[in-house]
């Protein structure tokens, strides 16, 4: 493992703390009754936490020389990630159906968060698995998946604790994760490391941000409407 990535687990732990902070007042504080939440939300929360914990554990297993256990946890992701993607889809569906009676346009616009998130996570995870035998590339794609978790949590932190309006909170969270991806890309360019992982990570984030910016436009409304007609 590259020296700079020996402590990558600390970065993943920081993401875990941000996630806990962001979802504390909107979900965790309702433990154990979780009144008002359904099984879909529980499944989504559990799978998200499982993924973050797997990201934390994996580099520690490598450092400890537990390669067989590292591979076993990696294989477990073949089950966890599809279920996680399904949970993201289902949470989006619930939100969409709640919004439809009040504003069909805003309901369709809301898919500009779900569809890009599904696409980005699937792409980055898929590439990480494809390159699992090339550790330098593999770990970068995995780190890319972790960046996707910052947005929803950080958005809630801004809204709940700093009274930032929803639309601005989403934008600021997007700017932050794109900035992190850009800095990682620049670092790899200067160090002559593989540039594809962080370049692709940045590109899928930019695509997601553009979808959000143009969520009320004709093009995305058509995309979201057709997506909802087929899957919702």
């Amino acid at each position: 493992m590259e020296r700079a990535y020996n402590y990558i687990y600390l970065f993943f732990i920081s993401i875990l703390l941000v996630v806990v902070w962001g979802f504390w007042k909107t979900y965790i504080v309702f433990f154990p009754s979780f009144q008002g939440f359904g099984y879909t939300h529980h499944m989504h929360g559990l799978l998200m936490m499982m993924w973050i914990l797997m990201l934390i554990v994996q580099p520690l297993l490598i450092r400890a020389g537990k390669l067989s256990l590292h591979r076993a946890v990696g294989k477990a992701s073949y089950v966890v990630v599809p279920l996680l993607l399904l949970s993201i889809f289902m949470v989006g569906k619930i939100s969409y159906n709640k919004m439809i009676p009040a504003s069909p346009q805003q309901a369709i616009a809301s898919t500009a968060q779900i569809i890009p998130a599904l696409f980005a996570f699937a792409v980055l995870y898929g590439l990480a698995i494809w390159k699992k035998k090339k550790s330098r590339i593999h770990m970068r794609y995995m780190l890319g998946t972790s960046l996707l978790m910052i947005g929803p949590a950080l958005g809630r932190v801004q809204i709940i604790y700093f009274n930032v309006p929803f639309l601005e909170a989403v934008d600021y969270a997007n700017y932050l994760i794109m900035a992190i991806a850009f800095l990682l890309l620049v670092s790899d360019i200067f160090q002559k490391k593989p540039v594809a992982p962080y370049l692709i990570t940045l590109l899928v984030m930019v695509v997601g941000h553009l979808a959000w910016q143009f969520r009320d436009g004709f093009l995305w409304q058509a995309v979201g409407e057709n997506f909802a007609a087929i899957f919702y």
Side-chain angles (χ1 to χ4, degrees), residues 206-228:
V206 170
V207 169
H209 182 64
L210 289 175
W212 174 249
Q213 292 301 310
F214 294 100
R215 63 192 178 278
D216 293 319
F218 170 78
L219 180 59
W220 187 263
Q221 286 288 308
V223 170
E225 185 176 10
N226 282 287
F227 179 87

Side-chain angles (χ1 to χ4, degrees), residues 112-113 116-117 120 167-178 202-215:
Q113 287 185 301
L167 297 181
E168 284 85 346
V170 174
D171 284 342
Y172 296 155
N174 285 345
Y175 295 147
L176 175 63
I177 62 174
M178 287 189 293
L202 178 60
L203 288 175
V204 296
M205 289 177 177
V206 170
V207 169
H209 182 64
L210 289 175
W212 174 249
Q213 292 301 310
F214 294 100
R215 63 192 178 278

Side-chain angles (χ1 to χ4, degrees), residues 2 4-5 8 11-12 124 127 135-147 177-191 193-206:
E2 293 178 45
Y5 286 86
I8 194 174
F11 178 73
F12 295 144
L124 296 179
L127 289 171
S135 60
R136 292 199 304 174
I137 298 176
H138 172 77
M139 74 174 74
R140 283 168 166 78
Y141 283 123
M142 284 299 186
L143 191 150
T145 68
S146 74
L147 295 180
I177 62 174
M178 287 189 293
I180 294 173
F182 176 75
L183 291 175
L184 290 170
L185 173 61
V186 170
S187 176
D188 274 357
I189 290 173
F190 278 106
Q191 296 182 62
K193 305 292 185 181
V195 299
Y198 292 140
L199 177 59
I200 293 173
T201 297
L202 178 60
L203 288 175
V204 296
M205 289 177 177
V206 170

